[in-house]
Amino acid sequence: MILIANIIIALFIIVGVFFTVVTVVGVLRLPDVYTRAHAASKSATLGVLGILIGVFLHFWWIKGHFSVQLLLGSVFLFITSPVGGHLMSRAAYMSGVKPTELTVGDDLQEAIGEQKSHEKE
């Protein structure tokens, strides 16, 4: 049973490290602030969650300690990290940061235009 638990724990931690490495590569290689924010918020969330779940399972299955703090930290991170990434991208858009030339469409421009026209009324 300990061997199976260790394999599951190691898989969660390896997946978490993989997504963390994907985050680093994405932040360093992607062309603009919007794609970097996407890489940082989505894959970093999965990376840290994988590591936290692996640590939680280690303490619960191997050490016999049920850590509510790790569970609460995982839930808090799962909720706040994507929202924070979205808000930072939206703030960059509203402050006029231009996307890369590779960007195909700008769907947010229409929504912002409609919002501003409703505010004038």
Side-chain angles (χ1 to χ4, degrees), residues 7-86:
I7 290 172
I8 293 171
I9 291 165
L11 284 175
F12 272 106
I13 292 176
I14 288 169
V15 167
V17 169
F18 171 76
F19 278 111
T20 303
V21 170
V22 168
T23 300
V24 171
V25 171
V27 168
L28 293 176
R29 299 281 313 226
L30 291 173
D32 64 352
V33 67
Y34 305 108
T35 54
R36 289 179 187 154
H38 179 75
S41 65
K42 305 300 184 234
S43 58
T45 301
L46 291 174
V48 174
L49 280 177
I51 293 170
L52 283 176
I53 290 171
V55 170
F56 169 76
L57 292 176
H58 170 75
F59 279 113
W60 188 23
W61 290 345
I62 306 299
K63 302 291 184 185
H65 174 69
F66 187 84
S67 178
V68 176
Q69 291 91 350
L70 284 171
L71 283 180
L72 289 175
S74 299
V75 169
F76 181 76
L77 180 74
F78 185 73
I79 293 171
T80 59
S81 182
V83 172
H86 173 78

Side-chain angles (χ1 to χ4, degrees), residues 113-121:
E114 290 175 11
Q115 182 180 4
K116 287 184 180 179
S117 68
H118 289 297
E119 288 175 1
K120 290 179 182 177
E121 295 175 358

